[in-house]
Amino acid sequence: MAEGLQQIRNQFNEFLQGLEKKQKIKIAVAIALILITLTAIIYYFTRPQYVVLYSNLDAKQAGEIMNTLEGSGIRAKLGETSSTILVQKPDYQRAQVVVATEGLPQARFSYEDFFSGNSFMKTSEEKSKEFIVALGNELSKIIEEIPGINKSYVTLSIPENTGFIRTTQDQSATASVFLNLDYNTTLDPNSVTGITLLVSNAVQGLNPENVTVHGPDGRVLNTTSSDSSDTFGPTDQLSLQQAVKEDLEKSITDFLSTVYGYGNVVVMANVKLDFNSEVTEIQEFSPPIDGETEGIVRSMQDLQQRVVNSPAGGAPGTDTNTEDIPQYVVEDQENSLYYEANQIINYEINELRKKIVKAQGQVQDITVAVYLNKNAINGGELTDEERRELENIVSAAAGLDTRVVQVAAQEFSNSLEEQIRLAMEAAEATGGQKIPLWALGLAAAALLGGGFFLLMRTNRRKKEASEEIMRETPIQSEDLIEEIDLELSGSQVKQQLEKLVNKKPDAVAQLLRNWLSEE
């Protein structure tokens, strides 16, 4: 067996010695590329697969868990952020047991901790404080379930209930919510309002206006008052306006594409909405019977009064009271009469009250521009009559006046670059899956192998062409022999031969072929 190996080794050495320097370099580069490709493929399929052990950890918790895992001989690493810890898939269950044995990660104080603890040695004040902390942590867990929120902290301030009627302390509860959002994530006003109501409804005596929601940068997110909850903010106005614009463009495009073909119609719309708020109150009165000026008598009060006054009888006083009789002025002896009449009638009439609230976001103005592909039109152009007819059709479809619709024809550009861009956008819109890395690696290896094969084939053809030329123009062996001085010693002759081979390798090879052919 040793002789066979030695023979194979000798044959391989002879094969290498028969190759030129360029061929040896090409073979070495090809072998290196193949080894690198195979190594990358083997590493991709045999690399350790990591899974998420814990996420949403703070820096302290992550450090404690990493130290525990490394001390137990479990390989772990951090994920994309320092709040995520990854372990190898075979060590996942063992890592869970090891970390749980150490009591990590330390969970927040929850309702279970509040009710499971020994409450006999605690005062009512301590129980109240623990309950508030547990309630805030529970609200934090609920808020963290909302998409886009990575971490949340809820701090509650609830006044104590006292038996005193008069107190100088403010008895209103307050709350603050801090949100740590995911990267490149923003909350819309409706979500912020929902978080505010969630916290206020969970705490007794907490009004929504006493709840503040803060973003990662500390800014207050619920600055809008509750009175203006029905109004549209700048962001909502732009979003609604853009939605109406896109819906109008899509509907008109689909409508015209059924006639001119898909891809032959381009529609651009400009929408202006009216977000002014207007409230009108109207109060009207009318008789219950049509044609009558008076209503139905509901109640009537009739008052009549007649008073008659008669003159007095004799002179006042008696004769026995005094000797002199006083003299009094005697008025007219005629009778007086007083008469009064009063009548109050209440009529039943109709009372109508109207309150008209103008809806915000009504369409105020819309303009539409339509471009058609000339290749999809008979004759390549639209006549004036066809253009007016098409404008009327677009107006009827969009509910607009014809003066805000413009139609034109233009030849569309269907270049390859545009088609590729549309295909990529369509793939992204449909949520197409990305090409896996191992497929890209195989494709790269195939491209490298194909390129090397083409290079070798091209070099082989060049070599065959050069040999053909050499055969057609044989080299005189005498010219080469004349350059060698045979009278020199053996080492000097060898040096001249090596120098000649390096200087004219093709000529020496042709000379050897001629000698072999003569034999």
Side-chain angles (χ1 to χ4, degrees):
M1 183 175 180
E3 295 179 356
L5 293 175
Q6 184 65 27
Q7 185 178 1
I8 294 173
R9 181 180 178 182
N10 295 334
Q11 291 178 356
F12 182 72
N13 291 333
E14 292 178 358
F15 172 75
L16 292 178
Q17 291 177 358
L19 297 177
E20 297 180 358
K21 186 176 181 180
K22 294 181 179 180
Q23 293 177 338
K24 293 180 181 180
I25 295 174
K26 293 176 181 178
I27 292 175
V29 172
I31 294 173
L33 291 175
I34 293 173
L35 291 176
I36 292 173
T37 304
L38 292 176
T39 303
I41 294 174
I42 293 172
Y43 172 76
Y44 181 81
F45 286 102
T46 60
R47 63 176 180 173
Q49 184 178 1
Y50 284 85
V51 294
V52 178
L53 179 63
Y54 291 106
S55 60
N56 297 332
L57 300 174
D58 53 30
K60 182 179 179 181
Q61 291 177 339
E64 293 175 349
I65 294 175
M66 288 292 292
N67 293 334
T68 302
L69 294 176
E70 291 176 358
S72 302
I74 299 176
R75 298 186 61 181
K77 66 177 183 178
L78 298 177
E80 295 181 355
T81 60
S82 60
S83 62
T84 304
I85 296 179
L86 306 177
V87 296
Q88 295 184 7
K89 191 173 183 179
D91 298 334
Y92 178 73
Q93 296 179 351
R94 179 167 170 258
Q96 283 185 325
V97 174
V98 171
V99 174
T101 303
E102 298 294 331
L104 298 174
Q106 296 180 357
R108 299 177 180 177
F109 188 78
S110 61
Y111 280 138
E112 291 78 7
D113 300 328
F114 175 74
F115 290 107
S116 62
N118 186 8
S119 61
F120 293 101
M121 303 300 294
K122 296 179 182 179
T123 63
S124 60
E125 184 178 358
E126 291 176 347
K127 294 179 182 179
S128 177
K129 296 298 183 183
E130 289 182 354
F131 178 78
I132 293 174
V133 173
L135 178 60
N137 293 335
E138 190 68 21
L139 290 173
S140 299
K141 292 180 182 179
I142 297 174
I143 295 174
E144 289 173 0
E145 298 296 327
I146 300 176
I149 298 178
N150 185 17
K151 204 75 172 178
S152 67
Y153 302 92
V154 178
T155 303
L156 302 176
S157 177
I158 303 177
E160 297 180 1
N161 294 325
T162 62
F164 297 100
I165 299 177
R166 308 179 81 180
T167 177
T168 58
Q169 296 179 356
D170 187 6
Q171 297 297 320
S172 60
T174 59
S176 61
V177 182
F178 178 80
L179 302 178
N180 187 6
L181 305 179
D182 293 337
Y183 176 73
N184 199 18
T185 300
T186 56
L187 290 179
D188 56 83
N190 294 329
S191 299
V192 176
T193 304
I195 294 173
T196 303
L197 296 177
L198 172 67
V199 176
S200 64
N201 293 332
V203 180
Q204 183 179 4
L206 179 58
N207 297 323
E209 56 268 16
N210 293 333
V211 179
T212 58
V213 181
H214 303 264
D217 52 358
R219 291 184 300 173
V220 180
L221 303 180
N222 59 337
T223 54
T224 305
S225 61
S226 59
D227 297 336
S228 60
S229 58
D230 296 334
T231 61
F232 292 91
T235 304
D236 296 334
Q237 293 180 11
L238 293 176
S239 300
L240 182 59
Q241 194 163 283
Q242 184 67 20
V244 175
K245 173 181 177 295
E246 293 177 355
D247 183 68
L248 180 62
E249 291 177 352
K250 183 177 182 302
S251 60
I252 297 177
T253 301
D254 295 340
F255 174 69
L256 296 179
S257 296
T258 57
V259 179
Y260 297 97
Y262 287 92
N264 295 323
V265 179
V266 176
V267 178
M268 177 63 70
N270 185 15
V271 181
K272 184 179 180 181
L273 304 181
D274 184 10
F275 292 97
N276 294 329
S277 179
E278 182 178 348
V279 180
T280 304
E281 294 186 1
I282 301 175
Q283 187 175 6
E284 297 178 352
F285 298 93
S286 61
I289 302 175
D290 295 338
E292 297 289 338
T293 59
E294 297 180 354
I296 301 174
V297 176
R298 181 179 182 180
S299 63
M300 183 176 63
Q301 181 180 0
D302 192 359
L303 177 63
Q304 294 183 0
Q305 184 177 6
R306 184 172 182 274
V307 179
V308 178
N309 293 328
S310 59
T318 59
D319 297 339
T320 58
N321 291 336
T322 179
E323 295 181 355
D324 297 329
I325 297 174
Q327 299 295 322
Y328 295 94
V329 178
V330 180
E331 297 180 354
D332 192 3
Q333 299 298 319
E334 294 181 0
N335 296 333
S336 62
L337 178 63
Y338 172 76
Y339 180 79
E340 180 183 1
N342 187 11
Q343 187 179 30
I344 300 175
I345 301 176
N346 295 324
Y347 293 93
E348 187 71 27
I349 60 175
N350 292 339
E351 180 179 358
L352 180 62
R353 296 182 179 181
K354 295 181 181 180
K355 184 177 181 180
I356 303 174
V357 180
K358 180 182 178 182
Q360 298 181 2
Q362 294 183 356
V363 177
Q364 184 176 2
D365 186 19
I366 298 181
T367 58
V368 179
V370 180
Y371 258 121
L372 301 177
N373 190 0
K374 285 186 176 182
N375 298 329
I377 302 174
N378 294 331
E381 291 291 344
L382 288 174
T383 61
D384 294 339
E385 184 178 357
E386 290 176 345
R387 182 177 285 102
R388 286 193 297 270
E389 182 180 359
L390 187 57
E391 290 178 353
N392 294 331
I393 291 175
V394 174
S395 304
L400 308 174
D401 191 9
T402 54
R403 59 187 175 81
V404 294
V405 177
Q406 295 292 332
V407 178
Q410 185 69 30
E411 185 176 357
F412 287 7
S413 174
N414 296 322
S415 61
L416 180 61
E417 181 181 0
E418 184 68 16
Q419 295 178 5
I420 294 175
R421 185 183 65 82
L422 293 175
M424 293 178 63
E425 291 180 355
E428 292 178 357
T430 56
Q433 298 181 352
K434 296 182 179 180
I435 301 175
L437 295 177
W438 62 268
L440 294 176
L442 291 178
L447 290 175
L448 291 175
F452 178 73
F453 175 76
L454 293 176
L455 182 61
M456 293 293 292
R457 187 174 180 182
T458 303
N459 293 335
R460 186 181 302 171
R461 289 182 178 178
K462 290 182 180 180
K463 183 177 180 181
E464 292 176 355
S466 62
E467 291 179 355
E468 185 68 23
I469 295 173
M470 292 294 295
R471 285 194 295 269
E472 293 177 358
T473 58
I475 302 175
Q476 300 296 332
S477 59
E478 292 79 2
D479 297 338
L480 297 176
I481 296 175
E482 290 178 354
E483 296 183 6
I484 303 175
D485 190 0
L486 299 177
E487 294 180 357
L488 300 175
S489 60
S491 61
Q492 295 178 350
V493 172
K494 183 178 179 181
Q495 293 178 357
Q496 287 189 355
L497 289 173
E498 292 176 352
K499 183 178 179 181
L500 183 61
V501 169
N502 295 330
K503 184 178 180 181
K504 299 179 180 180
D506 296 336
V508 174
Q510 183 63 29
L511 178 60
L512 293 176
R513 293 193 191 96
N514 294 339
W515 286 351
L516 293 174
S517 61
E518 291 177 358
E519 294 178 358

